[in-house]
Amino acid sequence: ENESVENVTVNLSGQSTGTVNTTANGAYAFTVIQAGNDVTVTPEKDDDQLNGVTTYDLVLISKHILNIETLDSPYKMIAADVNNSKSITTFDLVELRKLVLFINTEFPNNSSWRFVASSYVFPVPTDPWAEPFPEIISINNIPVDVLDADFVAVKIGDVNNSSGFAGGESGERSSRPLVFETKNLAMVAGATYRLDFNARDFEVEGYQFTLEFDSELLDFVEVVP
């Protein structure tokens, strides 16, 4: 999306070594490489896992899995592959839901960000794993200046580009409240009760909320769809 990602750690290895962080405009520079060296550039960023991740991403990934509305770029598909299995399945939804619900604080088998060499062209755009995509840039016999060692940053779990670095919009969220109604139950100790949640206007694709209760007075049994 031509937006900058700052504070990416960029590692230089090979005949010259070093580490720098990208600036606010996404730029980085190594200034002490001897011309003619063979070097490799490797970016990495593994923080702020929830940046850009919402229930709406779960909705969009579900639609992709069900072939209702497929993700329209290989980068979005890489973002949807939360468990790094080189495929998009319900297991990715499970891992992403754990993150949204604060059960997990990081991706078990993936980093928060992935980086693809910007010069790379996916041979099969609908299958970004048709061949291994380059997450490093190697330069042999480096000239005096290299000004195009660029990457496309992919925020894992964020398939609608709503992360704080991607310049996307979270406009899919409605400002209109979703109101639930329940019956006021008179309860007695030892009995089990079912509490129905009803909404007059339920035109939503996904939502999340917190249900609080006094755990000294009630035991939670289950959610029944």
Side-chain angles (χ1 to χ4, degrees), residues 19-41:
T19 299
V20 297
N21 289 337
T22 58
T23 61
N25 64 354
Y28 70 95
F30 293 101
T31 58
V32 291
I33 306 174
Q34 183 175 343
N37 280 359
D38 298 336
V39 296
T40 297
V41 177

Side-chain angles (χ1 to χ4, degrees), residues 5 8 25 34 42 63-64 72 92 96 106 127 211:
V5 182
V8 177
N25 64 354
Q34 183 175 343
T42 306
K63 287 184 175 182
H64 178 88
D72 59 4
D92 297 301
L96 199 60
E106 59 186 18
D127 182 8
L211 179 64

